[in-house]
Amino acid sequence: MCALIAAVVSSIGCAWMRDETKGPIAESRWFVAQARFAEQQGNNAQAISLLTEAIQRNPKDVESQRWLGELLVEQGRSREAARHLSAVARQNPDDPQALVQLSRVWLQQDSPDEARPLLIRAIEINPHDVEALLMLAELESKAERLDATLDLYHRALETDAANVFAQFGIARAHLQRREPDRAAPLLRALTHRNDLTPTQQSDARWLLGIAYGSHRRWLDAAQNLELAVGNNPVVGSDVWYRIAYAYHQGSDLLNAERMARIALKRNPTDKNALVLWQRLRPGGDSAGDVMQAGHQITEEKLAVPEGW
């Protein structure tokens, strides 16, 4: 450890650390100061080592425990972070920030049962903690407890009316409950916001397309779904089939054929896309560039995409 400290502040030297009159608390503060310097220099790995030394000398230093936990999370060392953030939560059981930080680490470790009671407690302490409300709402959504999900998202909006994550969460919950009429207005409003990331814009368009499809507004659905996908080269054939299906249901057969062709280029054996292609081009041979030999499909009912 002397070599490490000398590398951080060589002018101080290791002799200071051997001065027994300083005591563990003073030593801990010294390590914390050097950790702060290391972090300012962009050396988080060294900051972690220094903070570890500080906490060994003063385990009750809550802020250093919290700081170390945050740095470990950034390094992807969530199990180690959980140990330090648990110490913070034990020493500060009424600190919602500590509870939320620890919950976040448990969720990173895919341990929702560990995170849920901490989030509930954080909300009991501070009913307006938006982050805790959003995190718990996501857990409730995954468990398909949709009434609780909607309640939590609405509570988050009471504090932060423009919160994008809450608005998306409410729209998704309504779609899960087969309530597209309630989801669509929220999603339309999101598509008109200019502060969304490109990914969020695509998500809003996609969900709006799903909502329109549930209303049998097929052309609106197809156009929004296509805008959401754009030129994404990794989108699978099932996505393109959904768009083709919507165009077909809306009687826009040219665009349905265009989408079906893309779907088959992505996956020439996609049965749903093949059935649609045969519906669009019965007996034709112009699909040879997208259909492999032996994949002629007899007349079958078109598969309805999930959610419609």
Side-chain angles (χ1 to χ4, degrees):
M1 178 50 65
C2 282
L4 173 62
I5 302 309
V8 179
V9 186
S10 58
S11 61
I12 297 178
C14 293
W16 189 93
M17 297 304 302
R18 292 192 295 267
D19 187 344
E20 296 179 358
T21 64
K22 295 297 183 181
I25 300 300
E27 290 181 6
S28 175
R29 290 172 181 165
W30 189 88
F31 278 108
V32 169
Q34 304 320 308
R36 188 171 295 111
F37 177 79
E39 186 184 40
Q40 290 170 353
Q41 298 300 308
N43 194 339
N44 285 357
Q46 191 173 70
I48 288 171
S49 296
L50 290 161
L51 283 172
T52 301
E53 291 290 333
I55 291 165
Q56 286 177 355
R57 287 159 175 77
N58 183 13
K60 294 184 179 181
D61 184 347
V62 173
E63 290 310 310
S64 291
Q65 293 268 21
R66 189 197 305 274
W67 181 15
L68 178 55
E70 292 169 353
L71 289 176
L72 288 167
V73 169
E74 292 175 8
Q75 296 280 316
R77 296 160 62 178
S78 60
R79 290 187 180 278
E80 296 171 75
R83 185 172 69 253
H84 294 285
L85 293 175
S86 294
V88 175
R90 283 195 301 272
Q91 294 181 60
N92 295 269
D94 295 327
D95 179 356
Q97 182 185 2
L99 296 170
V100 170
Q101 285 177 319
L102 181 55
S103 298
R104 193 183 304 117
V105 171
W106 284 126
L107 291 176
Q108 289 174 352
Q109 295 186 46
D110 195 25
S111 299
D113 292 339
E114 298 284 354
R116 180 176 280 105
L118 298 173
L119 292 169
I120 291 172
R121 177 58 182 155
I123 294 167
E124 288 173 350
I125 297 167
N126 179 10
H128 304 292
D129 189 319
V130 172
E131 186 176 8
L133 290 165
L134 294 177
M135 291 169 67
L136 185 57
E138 185 175 353
L139 288 181
E140 297 299 284
S141 176
K142 289 179 178 178
E144 297 187 354
R145 291 188 281 266
L146 299 180
D147 287 343
T149 299
L150 286 168
D151 177 64
L152 289 161
Y153 280 131
H154 280 296
R155 288 170 64 183
L157 286 181
E158 289 174 5
T159 300
D160 182 4
N163 191 281
V164 169
F165 300 101
Q167 291 174 5
F168 267 109
I170 291 170
R172 288 193 177 95
H174 282 308
L175 289 176
Q176 284 180 273
R177 285 165 50 130
R178 303 287 183 173
E179 297 170 343
D181 53 321
R182 295 190 175 187
L186 287 169
L187 294 165
R188 278 195 296 269
L190 282 167
T191 63
H192 289 104
R193 287 182 60 157
N194 58 13
D195 61 339
L196 300 188
T197 67
T199 298
Q200 288 171 331
Q201 277 286 351
S202 294
D203 287 347
R205 286 284 179 193
W206 181 262
L207 293 173
L208 183 57
I210 298 297
Y212 281 148
S214 298
H215 271 307
R216 304 300 185 262
R217 293 176 56 176
W218 294 116
L219 293 183
D220 288 332
Q223 290 162 6
N224 276 279
L225 293 173
E226 187 175 358
L227 282 171
V229 173
N231 296 317
N232 192 328
V234 300
V235 170
S237 61
D238 58 327
V239 170
W240 294 108
Y241 170 74
R242 181 186 287 275
I243 303 172
Y245 178 91
Y247 274 125
H248 180 268
Q249 295 300 103
S251 300
D252 186 343
L253 302 186
L254 287 176
N255 275 318
E257 181 179 324
R258 179 170 60 89
M259 294 294 103
R261 182 182 295 273
I262 295 173
L264 288 168
K265 285 182 177 178
R266 292 286 189 272
N267 179 9
T269 63
D270 186 314
K271 181 179 178 180
N272 293 334
L274 286 167
V275 170
L276 178 56
W277 183 267
Q278 285 293 97
R279 182 76 60 89
L280 293 164
R281 303 297 295 270
D285 59 359
S286 61
D289 58 334
V290 294
M291 290 181 65
Q292 297 177 346
H295 287 300
Q296 295 298 317
I297 304 296
T298 59
E299 183 73 13
E300 294 185 30
K301 185 177 180 180
L302 291 180
V304 179
E306 185 179 356
W308 284 348

